[in-house]
Amino acid sequence: EVQPVIMSLLPLKEAVRTSIVSRSWRTLWRFHCNLCFDGPNDPDSDTDDEFAGQDSTKMKRAKFIETVNSVIQQHSGIGVNKFSIRCGLPKEDSHHLDRWISFATSLKAKIIHFDLIIIDWPLEEVHHFPLEALDAQGGSFVQSLFLAAVSIPHSGIRGLTILRRLVLESVQIFGDFPGLLAKCSALEDLEIIDCSGVTNLSIPHKLDKLRHLLIDSSTTDIEVVELHAADLAHFEYKGRVIPIVLHGCSKLEKATIMFVDTKALAHTFTAVPSILPVRILHVQAIISKYAQLQKLPTIPEGMFMNLRHMTLIVEMQMTIMKFFN
């Protein structure tokens, strides 16, 4: 009974190395519960010889693919808790991703993490992650899902009813995304970072268990954010000044607001009325003229009555900084 515990505390690579300890340890690693693979992410090489660098990267990538395929082929298929892939793959290797996704979903891994680095794919040809596979194995099973540099076509999903954490980074989103979130009734942590395909993030259904919400739309076109989250405790936003309405967020304790517009400083304390009860507030804004600091509106008496800690960072555009220099 002690051996499986030891295996679970070791990284996968170290667990495989234990197979040389004795014959009784030779196959223990095949029951490892966390299968995490980090491959080559940078298509460029540090070597002076460009062609030699490309050949070296291809060899490393081929070795990585071989290793992943070998491990999933030899693994027992029992008790997988986490399956993680972090690598950069060219388009011709996309069939390996299909195999890895199928493996993770067939074993009902609770934590699925696919962080892909696009090397030579056109933006419209990123790999499609089949969300429907997550509830096609006799019910929802994934509790944490991290996706980066993929697309998620939303269709025919009954619901990810036990999903607690969802992180989407540089993901192309198709279909009814608010409708998808409405089916994630257990969601506690939602992070949307530089994703495309969503302009209206208005969720009419209540996300009663959501406690952390991060939206980074500095390079995307989200135009409005509106949701109902009674248990929301931490809210983070980075992007342009847009309507942000957080209904019923009486438990909000911490907020981080970063506006990228040069004339947004005056809106920082008024654009999101829901942040007024917070105890911790971090604000970052950009100005183009020093005079903007003198035009800030007077804060009405009674605002931020619960505030205990505040960080305010005001950055000036480089053109103005050069002028002063």
Side-chain angles (χ1 to χ4, degrees):
E1 296 179 358
V2 176
Q3 291 175 334
V5 176
I6 296 174
M7 286 293 117
S8 67
L9 298 176
L10 291 175
L12 178 61
K13 188 175 181 178
E14 300 299 326
V16 174
R17 287 177 174 175
T18 63
S19 62
I20 67 173
V21 173
S22 68
R23 290 183 180 180
S24 64
W25 285 66
R26 189 166 296 172
T27 60
L28 284 179
W29 71 267
R30 297 182 183 181
F31 295 87
H32 201 279
C33 59
N34 296 321
L35 303 181
C36 304
F37 305 92
D38 287 341
N41 292 316
D42 190 357
D44 298 323
S45 174
D46 294 332
T47 63
D48 295 331
D49 190 333
E50 179 179 356
F51 295 103
Q54 291 178 354
D55 291 341
S56 176
T57 301
K58 289 181 179 179
M59 291 177 61
K60 291 179 181 179
R61 191 175 299 120
K63 181 63 176 178
F64 172 77
I65 293 173
E66 180 184 357
T67 299
V68 176
N69 289 335
S70 177
V71 168
I72 66 176
Q73 183 178 0
Q74 298 181 63
H75 195 271
S76 65
I78 300 174
V80 174
N81 176 66
K82 179 178 181 179
F83 187 85
S84 172
I85 294 286
R86 184 177 183 271
C87 66
L89 292 179
K91 185 178 180 181
E92 59 264 24
D93 292 329
S94 62
H95 61 284
H96 293 292
L97 288 174
D98 294 328
R99 181 183 181 184
W100 300 340
I101 293 172
S102 176
F103 175 82
T105 55
S106 64
L107 298 186
K108 298 184 178 181
K110 296 178 182 179
I111 303 172
I112 296 180
H113 184 138
F114 277 86
D115 186 356
L116 308 182
I117 306 298
I118 300 174
I119 294 179
D120 58 358
W121 300 30
L123 187 60
E124 64 274 9
E125 294 184 11
V126 296
H127 189 82
H128 293 272
F129 187 91
L131 283 180
E132 61 275 7
L134 300 182
D135 68 343
Q137 302 290 331
S140 178
F141 55 88
V142 63
Q143 297 181 13
S144 177
L145 179 63
F146 180 103
L147 299 176
V150 298
S151 67
I152 50 172
H154 166 46
S155 60
I157 299 177
R158 294 188 298 270
L160 304 177
T161 54
I162 65 173
L163 183 67
R164 295 181 178 179
R165 184 172 188 258
L166 176 61
V167 180
L168 303 177
E169 183 174 348
S170 300
V171 171
Q172 291 186 2
I173 302 173
F174 299 99
D176 182 15
F177 184 62
L180 170 63
L181 294 179
K183 298 178 181 180
C184 303
S185 55
L187 198 62
E188 299 176 2
D189 185 357
L190 174 61
E191 300 180 24
I192 305 171
I193 305 168
D194 291 334
C195 295
S196 61
V198 177
T199 57
N200 186 346
L201 192 57
S202 180
I203 307 171
H205 303 277
K206 293 183 179 180
L207 299 175
D208 290 333
K209 295 185 179 181
L210 188 67
R211 293 187 53 81
H212 175 228
L213 173 62
L214 184 153
I215 300 174
D216 186 341
S217 63
S218 53
T219 61
T220 54
D221 298 322
I222 294 181
E223 298 177 353
V224 60
V225 175
E226 183 177 5
L227 55 86
H228 302 257
D231 280 349
L232 189 66
H234 186 190
F235 174 69
E236 300 178 79
Y237 175 80
K238 180 180 179 180
R240 300 177 294 106
V241 178
I242 61 173
I244 299 177
V245 182
L246 308 175
H247 296 285
C249 300
S250 58
K251 299 181 181 180
L252 193 63
E253 297 181 355
K254 183 178 180 180
T256 301
I257 307 294
M258 300 174 62
F259 286 130
V260 297
D261 301 0
T262 57
K263 298 182 180 180
L265 184 58
H267 300 276
T268 302
F269 301 101
T270 58
V272 191
S274 303
I275 69 172
L276 297 183
V278 298
R279 298 173 60 88
I280 303 173
L281 177 63
H282 300 290
V283 175
Q284 184 171 342
I286 302 174
I287 62 174
S288 58
K289 298 179 180 180
Y290 179 75
Q292 291 179 241
L293 293 175
Q294 300 174 327
K295 297 180 180 180
L296 292 178
T298 303
I299 298 179
E301 185 177 355
M303 289 184 67
F304 301 110
M305 291 188 63
N306 298 322
L307 192 62
R308 296 295 180 268
H309 177 81
M310 175 178 172
T311 302
L312 175 61
I313 301 175
V314 180
E315 297 180 351
M316 192 170 293
Q317 282 187 325
M318 290 300 297
T319 53
I320 304 300
M321 293 297 291
K322 290 180 181 178
F323 173 78
F324 283 112
N325 288 339

